[in-house]
Amino acid sequence: MLKTDRKTYLWLLGVNLFISAFTFGGGYVVVPMVRRFFVWKKRFFTEDDLMNMAAVAQSTPGAIAINLSALAGYRVAGLAGLVISCIAAVTPPLVILGAVSAFYSAFISNTVAAAVLKGMEAGVAAIMVDLIIDMCAMILKERSAFLSLMIPAAFAANFILHINVALILIVCCGLCIARVFWRRRENG
C-alpha cells in the first residue's frame, strides 16, 4: 500500500535522516532501526518483509544501509519515497565525513572524540548481536535442519578455520540457491 501524501514524504525524510545520522558500524546496524520505525511504529510492512528487504539490500551492489533505506522508501511511497530515502540516507554521512576531514588533525588527537568513538563501538556490537539473534530465531522458526546447521558451520568456518567472510557468504548463497532449485525439481 503506497502512502503518497506530503506528511509521509516528510516522515520518510526525517526518519531516514535520523537513522543515517545515529547508526554507526555498517549496514546491519540499520536493520533494527528500520524495524523500530517502519515495522513496529508505523506498520508499513511486516518483520518478514523487512528480512526479505535486508537480504536484497545485502545482495545488491552498494552500501547495505542505503539499499535498505531505498527499498523501505520505495515500499512506503514508490519512486518518490525511494529518492527521498536515498538522499536522506546519504546526507548525514557526507556532512559528518566532510566535517571530520576538514578538522582531522584536531579530531584525531582529541581524547573526548576517541572516547565517544569507543562508546559507539560498544553500542554497535550490542545492536549487531540483537540482529544476529533475530535472524537466527527466524531461521530456527523454519525448522530446517539445513539452515539451522548452516549457522554454526559458517561461524566455525570463519572463527576456527579463518575463511574469509565473503567466501562464506558466497558458499552459503550458492547452497541456498541449489536447495531452492532442488526443491522445485522435487515438487516439479
Side-chain angles (χ1 to χ4, degrees), residues 45-69:
F45 40 84
T46 67
E47 188 84 25
D48 288 337
D49 293 334
L50 174 61
M51 286 300 128
N52 290 335
M53 287 190 294
V56 170
Q58 177 184 351
S59 62
T60 53
I64 295 170
I66 295 168
N67 292 343
L68 185 56
S69 294

